[in-house]
């Protein structure tokens, strides 16, 4: 995947500890190879600070919990979620 | 229905809203900000959330509870900066009898903690801050 300007298709969201350690909350990616959730996660894990993200993190695709195998398409929103701590 | 709120939650008002002649049992759970965690003194905390997903998940949890027990439910969770003692989360379960009210209230708070994308950053006496990770080993020992 390539990092691109905000006209590109897949919107990636980070929260809490992940956002702190990678240094951003949103990122826009252009899928260039196999456009899966796993590819997004791998891209993030390769960024500075990305080692905080586990190999199998909680991920939401368009607000629903998703598996790594799911395909992402233009306009999708992929959120990588740290362990939840509400309540 | 927004379940996340940046302003104070009024537990009594939520309980009052669900009061009805046929509802002989109301269970009110109030979660407040604790002044300690894992042996450290907490001075304040901040909740953040993935708002749209959190709202969707709260709606789903309440529907599940209503489908499982004959109850009506209210749920609110704070986001933003909170002081010690502030109300962080409120669940009200109202039904005909206490069995369903207790069971539904317990279900909603447990599922909320487990499934709703909300995160908590604590600030400790001394100024350090840390994101709370309930899956960490220390948390499993210290949190019921």
């Amino acid at each position: 995947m390539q990092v691109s300007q905000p006209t590109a298709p897949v919107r990636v969201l980070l929260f809490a500890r992940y956002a702190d350690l990678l240094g951003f909350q949103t990122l826009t990616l252009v899928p260039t190879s196999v456009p899966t959730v796993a590819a997004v996660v791998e891209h993030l894990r390769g960024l500075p600070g990305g080692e905080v993200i586990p190999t199998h993190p909680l991920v939401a695709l368009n607000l629903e919990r998703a598996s790594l195998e799911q395909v992402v398409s233009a306009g999708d929103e992929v959120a990588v979620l740290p362990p939840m701590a509400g309540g | 229905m927004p379940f996340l709120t940046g302003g104070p939650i009024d537990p009594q008002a939520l309980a009052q809203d669900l009061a009805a002649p046929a509802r002989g049992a109301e269970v009110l759970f109030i979660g407040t900000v604790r002044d300690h965690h894992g042996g450290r003194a907490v001075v304040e905390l901040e909740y953040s959330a993935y708002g749209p997903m959190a709202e969707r998940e709260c709606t789903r949890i309440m529907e599940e509870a209503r489908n499982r027990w004959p109850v009506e439910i209210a749920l609110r969770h704070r986001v933003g900066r909170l002081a010690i003692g502030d109300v962080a989360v409120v669940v009200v379960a109202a039904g005909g009898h206490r069995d369903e009210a207790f069971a539904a209230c317990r279900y909603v708070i447990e599922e909320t903690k487990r499934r709703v994308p909300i995160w908590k950053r604590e600030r400790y006496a001394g100024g350090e801050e840390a994101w709370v990770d309930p899956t960490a080993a220390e948390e499993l020992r210290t949190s019921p």
Side-chain angles (χ1 to χ4, degrees), chain B residues 15-131:
Chain B
Q16 192 61 43
D17 286 348
L18 293 194
R23 295 179 188 147
E26 268 198 299
V27 172
L28 168 60
F29 174 81
I30 306 174
T32 59
V33 178
R34 224 183 346 250
D35 70 354
H36 65 279
H37 178 218
R40 307 180 76 179
V42 176
V43 294
E44 67 173 9
L45 60 75
E46 184 164 7
Y47 285 107
S48 60
Y50 182 17
M53 185 182 178
E55 296 288 345
R56 187 180 285 205
E57 204 62 31
C58 286
T59 301
R60 193 170 285 156
I61 291 167
M62 291 175 64
E63 285 172 0
E64 290 165 4
R66 289 194 198 99
N67 288 336
R68 196 159 158 189
W69 297 280
V71 293
E72 189 48 66
I73 303 286
L75 169 63
R76 295 287 187 282
H77 200 298
R78 276 291 295 274
V79 289
R81 200 170 287 270
L82 277 74
I84 303 304
D86 281 353
V87 175
V89 58
V90 170
V91 179
V92 185
H97 301 276
R98 66 184 181 281
D99 280 355
E100 56 259 35
F102 273 116
C105 186
R106 184 71 193 251
Y107 178 82
V108 171
I109 186 59
E110 297 300 339
E111 293 301 300
T112 296
K113 291 174 77 81
R114 194 172 72 81
R115 287 160 50 185
V116 179
I118 296 174
W119 300 279
K120 177 162 61 178
R121 184 175 176 83
E122 292 177 332
R123 191 160 67 81
Y124 305 103
E128 286 172 62
E129 297 188 11
W131 292 103

